[in-house]
Amino acid sequence: MSLDLSVWLSRGPYIVQGFWLTLAMVGAVLVISAPLALAVGLALTSGRRGLTAAVGFFSWLVRGIPPLIILMIAYYILPITLNLRLQPLSAAIWGFVLYNTFIFGEVVASGLRAVPRGQREAITAMGLPPLRALRRIVLPQAMPVIIPPYISYATDMVKSTALAGSIGVMDLVTRANQAIVATNRPFEILIGVAVIYGIFDAALIALQFWSERRWTRSRRRTA
């Protein structure tokens, strides 16, 4: 079978539109879930048994449900139970936000637990306001531990956005599938889609390296 990349001249713009939608979806999920994940991580490490148990149980429950089921609940069940009709893209974003908030929240909690107890005792002794202590002392030490698994889960999330097509989101994979049906050239199209995802993941890994260096320098300054 000969390789005919000219198929991208006719179908490429249509497929790339799906990439921009996927990029917007990933960006929205990461931006919304980041502060929520921080709140979950703080709750899991708060030392308050009731709060930690409640958030821990809900985290275990949500992380145990496949993302595809969460998307279907957001799109099909919420309109019935809450009379809340979401468009496919909105349902996908909020479904992924719910799932990844607790995935990322567990990562944040692990990073916060890695901060030496002596640092926490020093914060208490100095009487620093909690938000200032978190921003100036705790996070600079926790971030080098948080960043690698956080980016790893983020790259997994990029791939899992392909599930959004199951509820009607015209993402990269959905448009690629339609182009395959229209052209009967699966090999060329799938190679192109794989390259796009590879570039996407490479950008996240580059962000990881930059963030690790930045927070490592910040950690040294606060040490």
Side-chain angles (χ1 to χ4, degrees):
M1 183 181 67
S2 62
L3 188 64
D4 182 14
L5 295 180
S6 65
V7 67
W8 277 89
L9 295 177
S10 59
R11 298 292 174 175
Y14 179 75
I15 296 173
V16 170
Q17 288 179 17
F19 164 72
W20 293 120
L21 186 62
T22 296
L23 180 63
M25 182 164 49
V26 170
V29 172
L30 291 177
V31 168
I32 297 171
S33 63
L36 298 177
L38 177 59
V40 168
L42 290 172
L44 291 173
T45 58
S46 66
R48 300 177 182 178
R49 293 184 178 180
L51 177 62
T52 300
V55 174
F57 172 78
F58 199 62
S59 175
W60 167 81
L61 180 64
V62 172
R63 289 183 295 115
I65 302 174
L68 178 60
I69 302 301
I70 293 178
L71 293 182
M72 290 185 173
I73 290 173
Y75 188 63
Y76 294 110
I77 305 300
L78 287 183
I80 298 174
T81 57
L82 301 179
N83 195 27
L84 178 63
R85 180 64 178 175
L86 295 177
Q87 295 299 316
L89 180 59
S90 299
I93 289 173
W94 288 111
F96 284 125
V97 164
L98 175 62
Y99 182 75
N100 287 283
T101 288
F102 290 99
I103 294 289
F104 294 147
E106 294 287 344
V107 172
V108 172
S110 297
L112 294 177
R113 294 188 186 104
V115 177
R117 178 179 295 180
Q119 294 288 334
R120 297 181 180 275
E121 293 174 351
I123 291 170
T124 302
M126 290 187 295
L128 289 176
L131 289 179
R132 184 179 179 186
L134 178 68
R135 182 172 61 89
R136 299 293 298 274
I137 298 175
V138 177
L139 280 182
Q141 297 184 71
M143 288 302 290
V145 178
I146 292 172
I147 290 170
Y150 197 100
I151 297 296
S152 178
Y153 282 121
T155 57
D156 287 341
M157 188 206 71
V158 170
K159 300 176 184 70
S160 66
T161 54
L163 298 172
S166 63
I167 58 173
V169 177
M170 298 298 290
D171 68 315
L172 175 60
V173 173
T174 300
R175 288 176 180 263
N177 284 333
Q178 292 178 347
I180 289 172
V181 172
T183 62
N184 196 30
R185 305 298 297 188
F187 190 65
E188 292 88 342
I189 291 174
L190 290 178
I191 284 178
V193 171
V195 169
I196 291 173
Y197 273 112
I199 294 172
F200 210 153
D201 286 348
L204 286 174
I205 292 172
L207 176 62
Q208 173 183 336
F209 290 152
W210 175 82
S211 301
E212 285 179 332
R213 289 196 299 269
R214 178 182 181 276
W215 285 103
T216 298
R217 289 195 299 267
S218 178
R219 184 178 185 179
R220 289 172 182 169
R221 288 196 298 268
T222 58

